[in-house]
Amino acid sequence: MVGAPLNKASLPSANGARTTTTLSSDSVLALNTGDPTVFEPFWQKMGDKCDVLIRGSDLMSYYSDKNNVCWFLEPELGDAIKRLHGVVGNALTDKRHIVLGTGSTQLFQALLYALTAPAAPEPESVSVVSSAPYYSVSLTDCDACTFNEDGRPYIEVVNSPNNPDGTHRGAVVNGGKGKVIYDFAYYWPQYTAITSAADHEIMLFTLSKCTGHAGSRIGWALVKDKDIAEKMTDYIAISSIGVSKESQVRAAKVIGVLCDGCENVGLGESENFFEFSRNLMAKRWQKLREALKHSECFTLYKHPREHCLFTGEFTKTLPAFAWLKCKEGIEDCNEFLRGLKIAGRGGKAFGVDPIFARVSMLSREDEFNQFIERLVVATQGISSGH
Amino acid sequence: MVGAPLNKASLPSANGARTTTTLSSDSVLALNTGDPTVFEPFWQKMGDKCDVLIRGSDLMSYYSDKNNVCWFLEPELGDAIKRLHGVVGNALTDKRHIVLGTGSTQLFQALLYALTAPAAPEPESVSVVSSAPYYSVSLTDCDACTFNEDGRPYIEVVNSPNNPDGTHRGAVVNGGKGKVIYDFAYYWPQYTAITSAADHEIMLFTLSKCTGHAGSRIGWALVKDKDIAEKMTDYIAISSIGVSKESQVRAAKVIGVLCDGCENVGLGESENFFEFSRNLMAKRWQKLREALKHSECFTLYKHPREHCLFTGEFTKTLPAFAWLKCKEGIEDCNEFLRGLKIAGRGGKAFGVDPIFARVSMLSREDEFNQFIERLVVATQGISSGH
């Protein structure tokens, strides 16, 4: 699942059309959501390459392909998704059904339906677990690490790299009656090393965190079992009668241009989205670590370097969120950030202690720079006894 | 709610990209869903007037307008919706919040959430009722006409003109603890007389049945109560983090061109969508009534003429669906249609007797003509004793 807004209170100060800001030192920095506007400059540089023209009579029907399990998936988007995973090497698409959703959020709900829809008239209750800290949309019951499955059915959600802390994850319950949902929202080269092509029964992806096109609300599931794919499709049909066709053709175009840029190595960094975005993330993480080097307030998790099959290099993990831990003397990290006019999301929302808080690293440049500035001031303020 | 597919078994033979068909007399006519492809020719005629160009870096954020209750609604679409209701005169938009949904289907679910979300820790169970025949997505509990509210909370769904039978409807329960959802999916001039500007607390509309752009998945609610609008917005945020921005800008464009055509009376019929589509519907209904004039199989409901404020004339009701009733000797209308290779939807799905069945009047031209042809053959077959 993506790091996204769940209520109006968590709104950032920017709207979709904004490209410049009027941030003052008084503005609250809304870094509590993962709005991925950091990637806008790359797509601006692409000029008209990604232009999509939609005519008045295009895409009017509910249907895209009646021969596909997911009958509302435009074939060109299905093809683009397969190509993308092939180019990046982060997941196998062979012998899998692609189920499209209005973002991966809707697909997660479709999966809960598909995995719990009763075959018998009296369904058992099913626990949904994930190891803490976990990203929650109030659907996760408990911490997978302390879950005693005891022969009961359960669904484990594995988010890797993990939101909020960026760690690599695997399933932890290993019970006989469990189903595992692999949420790979952040398993892309700008955030982490691609260590293997994932080969699980059920895998979730979202355009928002891959290319940064959150406004399109496009997510997809790669699903081996046809029955599960059919039930998910039924859920999305009942819930919203499919997914916007305009978003689909636009996503297909954007993904196509992204793949062209990755494959055409001669074009240089500026045409390779993952190199560009990885460099951006690396610069931000460097600034953040620099700002907190002598901090008496916060520490950051250190991620190991790993060999990335996509870049061919040993690379750092550069998570989409900073997972801040307060040092002794500060009990509530989010409260402390609020004092700096930085809106984050506190540890409790992720099933852990309030000494932790999550802050987005995906904001626009000016917001990110303000964030760093305020951290530096806070650190200096504390060191000099203010 | 719209007349739309709920499962794969109900797929028509066409996909979204098709403009010509290879219908044979053996093909099953999938008229069980309300895919509104009948309106494609109008938008083809509009040429490049509705063209929408989306660039690579457009519409990337989750957010559209942080100052609006519905923060994911693009302001230009909100304005277009207000203009549309002003031009058509079918609903008041003053002092109302517009809540956007991925089709009205999602909005209906958002309303069930908003109207039943407990203020107290122990919520009462709430009945959802509608007078039969009603369009059901398995959410309607019972027939409003026989519902004894007995002081209990309930939600009544009023669909007017009604899917499936095209009749005008009002609330029937009149209980003290009831909330009423007015579903005005078909309250547009091509289907019915616009007799007044509707002025209810909660009204639902959908682009699919207004302009025919079903693939865009755009629906909207006009809601007086801010608390209800906020809860609906929360539901849509949790369910899909908003609504496709691409569909929104495209819908705004299409609605704008539609309004221009209606206001610029000098352009003639071909530029006025509602005149064009009303003429189309009128021709189809004429063909259908002609085909069934001497039928020994089916009868059709007769709708009264009413004065339409939009056209300024007394006009016929021209429903989006034919609601066929079988004559004596045929017990299952849908089964009988199946024998003619016409897929409809039987009365039971709408809470009434199987002697009824619903058949879409919104298919593409060739499918509609085949439908009429098969009805004529069936009628002749029975009259000549075959």
Side-chain angles (χ1 to χ4, degrees):
Chain A
M1 303 286 291
V2 299
L6 295 179
N7 55 56
K8 210 194 164 210
S10 64
L11 286 182
S13 59
N15 71 40
R18 187 180 70 98
T19 48
T20 57
T21 54
T22 50
L23 267 185
S24 75
S25 56
D26 264 359
S27 311
V28 173
L29 295 176
L31 303 177
N32 47 344
T33 76
D35 203 26
T37 43
V38 60
F39 303 127
E40 271 179 0
F42 179 84
W43 300 109
Q44 278 162 357
K45 276 172 53 152
M46 287 297 101
D48 60 6
K49 279 194 182 169
C50 299
D51 283 5
V52 170
L53 178 75
I54 301 167
R55 317 216 75 171
S57 62
D58 288 345
L59 308 168
M60 291 187 67
S61 173
Y62 291 109
Y63 304 100
S64 298
D65 180 3
K66 65 155 188 154
N67 297 314
N68 194 349
V69 166
C70 185
W71 49 265
F72 47 76
L73 169 64
E74 290 288 309
E76 65 191 276
L77 179 55
D79 293 343
I81 287 169
K82 283 181 207 155
R83 184 180 171 204
L84 176 64
H85 288 299
V87 165
V88 174
N90 62 344
L92 299 182
T93 56
D94 272 6
K95 292 176 192 161
R96 282 164 167 91
H97 301 278
I98 298 176
V99 182
L100 200 72
T102 309
S104 60
T105 305
Q106 193 185 34
L107 287 166
F108 185 69
Q109 291 157 48
L111 268 167
L112 293 189
Y113 167 79
L115 297 177
T116 59
E122 295 272 343
E124 285 184 87
S125 110
V126 178
S127 297
V128 181
V129 304
S130 188
S131 22
Y134 46 72
Y135 176 64
S136 159
V137 281
S138 313
L139 288 164
T140 308
D141 294 335
C142 61
D143 187 349
C145 298
T146 57
F147 176 71
N148 180 0
E149 58 97 20
D150 213 15
R152 285 178 294 149
Y154 68 92
I155 295 166
E156 181 174 358
V157 183
V158 177
N159 186 205
S160 184
N162 187 47
N163 174 0
D165 65 1
T167 56
H168 283 206
R169 295 292 189 90
V172 300
V173 183
N174 282 323
K177 294 183 87 174
K179 306 262 173 61
V180 186
I181 299 173
Y182 285 85
D183 176 358
F184 285 135
Y186 302 95
Y187 191 40
W188 298 104
Q190 68 266 50
Y191 306 116
T192 191
I194 303 302
T195 52
S196 70
D199 183 20
H200 303 288
E201 289 279 330
I202 301 167
M203 303 186 279
L204 289 182
F205 295 89
T206 166
L207 193 70
S208 310
K209 296 310 186 304
C210 171
T211 68
H213 291 84
S216 306
R217 314 306 315 119
I218 291 289
W220 62 93
L222 303 178
V223 179
K224 267 193 187 162
D225 186 294
K226 192 179 179 185
D227 181 57
I228 293 173
E230 282 174 343
K231 282 187 179 143
M232 292 176 73
T233 300
D234 288 349
Y235 177 91
I236 290 166
I238 291 169
S239 151
S240 61
I241 320 185
V243 176
S244 157
K245 308 282 186 234
E246 290 86 348
S247 287
Q248 290 191 54
V249 297
R250 201 245 183 148
K253 181 76 180 185
V254 164
I255 292 171
V257 170
L258 185 154
C259 290
D260 290 347
C262 291
E263 288 186 326
N264 205 339
V265 285
L267 295 171
E269 185 236 281
S270 67
E271 297 274 299
N272 184 320
F273 172 75
F274 292 119
E275 273 183 57
F276 180 96
S277 52
R278 196 172 167 79
N279 284 344
L280 250 172
M281 294 302 292
K283 276 178 205 150
R284 291 196 172 186
W285 273 96
Q286 198 182 350
K287 280 189 190 174
L288 178 64
R289 292 202 184 272
E290 193 65 36
L292 297 184
K293 202 157 66 178
H294 305 296
S295 172
E296 292 179 26
C297 313
F298 306 107
T299 57
L300 282 168
Y301 186 85
K302 273 191 187 157
H303 300 274
R305 276 174 190 268
E306 288 185 280
H307 187 257
C308 175
L309 298 171
F310 179 77
T311 61
E313 294 167 4
F314 275 85
T315 57
K316 286 181 195 168
T317 297
L318 305 164
F321 297 99
W323 183 236
L324 298 170
K325 184 183 177 183
C326 278
K327 288 189 178 172
E328 238 184 86
I330 304 171
E331 277 171 20
D332 189 323
C333 188
N334 209 38
E335 194 59 39
F336 185 80
L337 288 170
R338 202 171 291 141
L340 307 176
K341 299 209 169 181
I342 298 166
R345 205 174 280 179
K348 269 194 168 174
F350 304 94
V352 297
D353 201 278
I355 57 166
F356 291 95
R358 190 196 79 169
V359 178
S360 171
M361 294 289 283
L362 303 183
S363 65
R364 289 194 176 88
E365 194 69 10
D366 54 351
E367 285 173 302
F368 179 76
N369 289 336
Q370 271 281 333
F371 166 53
I372 296 295
E373 218 168 276
R374 294 184 196 183
L375 288 183
V376 170
V377 170
T379 300
Q380 286 171 344
I382 286 192
S383 345
S384 61
H386 291 296
Chain B
M1 305 285 292
V2 300
L6 295 180
N7 55 56
K8 211 196 163 209
S10 64
L11 287 181
S13 59
N15 70 40
R18 188 178 71 97
T19 48
T20 57
T21 54
T22 50
L23 269 185
S24 75
S25 57
D26 264 358
S27 310
V28 173
L29 294 177
L31 302 178
N32 47 344
T33 76
D35 204 26
T37 44
V38 60
F39 304 126
E40 272 178 0
F42 178 84
W43 300 108
Q44 278 161 358
K45 276 172 53 151
M46 287 296 101
D48 59 6
K49 278 195 184 169
C50 299
D51 283 4
V52 170
L53 178 75
I54 301 167
R55 316 218 74 171
S57 62
D58 288 344
L59 309 168
M60 291 186 68
S61 173
Y62 291 109
Y63 304 99
S64 297
D65 180 3
K66 65 157 188 154
N67 297 315
N68 194 348
V69 165
C70 185
W71 50 263
F72 47 77
L73 169 65
E74 290 288 308
E76 66 192 274
L77 179 56
D79 292 344
I81 287 169
K82 283 181 207 156
R83 183 180 172 204
L84 176 64
H85 287 299
V87 165
V88 174
N90 61 344
L92 298 181
T93 56
D94 272 6
K95 294 179 190 158
R96 282 165 167 91
H97 302 277
I98 299 175
V99 182
L100 200 72
T102 308
S104 59
T105 305
Q106 193 185 33
L107 287 166
F108 186 70
Q109 292 157 47
L111 270 167
L112 294 189
Y113 167 79
L115 297 177
T116 59
E122 294 272 342
E124 285 182 87
S125 112
V126 178
S127 297
V128 180
V129 304
S130 189
S131 23
Y134 46 72
Y135 177 64
S136 159
V137 281
S138 313
L139 289 164
T140 307
D141 293 336
C142 62
D143 187 348
C145 298
T146 56
F147 176 71
N148 180 1
E149 58 98 19
D150 211 13
R152 286 178 293 148
Y154 68 90
I155 296 166
E156 182 175 359
V157 183
V158 176
N159 186 205
S160 185
N162 188 46
N163 175 1
D165 64 1
T167 56
H168 283 205
R169 294 294 189 90
V172 299
V173 183
N174 283 324
K177 294 184 85 173
K179 305 263 173 59
V180 186
I181 299 172
Y182 284 85
D183 176 358
F184 286 134
Y186 302 95
Y187 191 40
W188 298 104
Q190 68 266 52
Y191 305 115
T192 191
I194 303 302
T195 51
S196 70
D199 182 20
H200 303 288
E201 290 279 331
I202 301 167
M203 304 187 278
L204 288 182
F205 295 89
T206 166
L207 193 71
S208 311
K209 295 310 185 304
C210 171
T211 68
H213 291 84
S216 305
R217 314 307 314 118
I218 292 288
W220 61 93
L222 302 179
V223 180
K224 266 192 189 163
D225 186 293
K226 191 178 179 186
D227 180 57
I228 292 173
E230 281 174 343
K231 282 186 178 145
M232 291 175 75
T233 301
D234 288 349
Y235 177 89
I236 290 166
I238 290 170
S239 151
S240 61
I241 319 184
V243 176
S244 157
K245 307 283 185 232
E246 291 86 349
S247 287
Q248 290 191 55
V249 297
R250 202 242 181 150
K253 180 78 182 184
V254 164
I255 291 171
V257 170
L258 184 153
C259 290
D260 289 347
C262 291
E263 289 186 326
N264 205 339
V265 284
L267 294 171
E269 185 237 282
S270 66
E271 298 273 300
N272 185 319
F273 172 75
F274 292 119
E275 271 183 59
F276 180 97
S277 52
R278 197 172 166 77
N279 285 343
L280 250 172
M281 295 301 293
K283 277 178 205 152
R284 290 196 173 187
W285 272 97
Q286 198 182 347
K287 279 189 190 173
L288 178 63
R289 292 201 184 273
E290 194 65 35
L292 297 185
K293 202 157 66 178
H294 306 296
S295 172
E296 291 179 25
C297 314
F298 306 108
T299 57
L300 281 169
Y301 187 84
K302 273 190 188 157
H303 301 273
R305 275 175 191 267
E306 289 184 279
H307 187 257
C308 175
L309 299 172
F310 178 78
T311 61
E313 293 168 3
F314 276 84
T315 57
K316 285 181 194 166
T317 297
L318 305 164
F321 296 98
W323 183 236
L324 299 169
K325 185 182 177 184
C326 277
K327 290 189 177 172
E328 238 183 87
I330 304 171
E331 278 172 17
D332 188 322
C333 188
N334 209 36
E335 194 59 39
F336 185 80
L337 287 169
R338 202 172 292 142
L340 307 176
K341 300 209 169 181
I342 297 166
R345 205 174 279 180
K348 268 193 168 175
F350 304 94
V352 296
D353 201 278
I355 57 165
F356 291 95
R358 190 195 79 170
V359 179
S360 171
M361 294 289 283
L362 304 182
S363 65
R364 290 196 176 85
E365 194 68 8
D366 53 351
E367 285 173 302
F368 178 76
N369 289 336
Q370 271 282 333
F371 165 54
I372 296 294
E373 218 167 277
R374 292 183 196 183
L375 287 183
V376 170
V377 170
T379 299
Q380 288 171 341
I382 286 191
S383 346
S384 60
H386 289 296

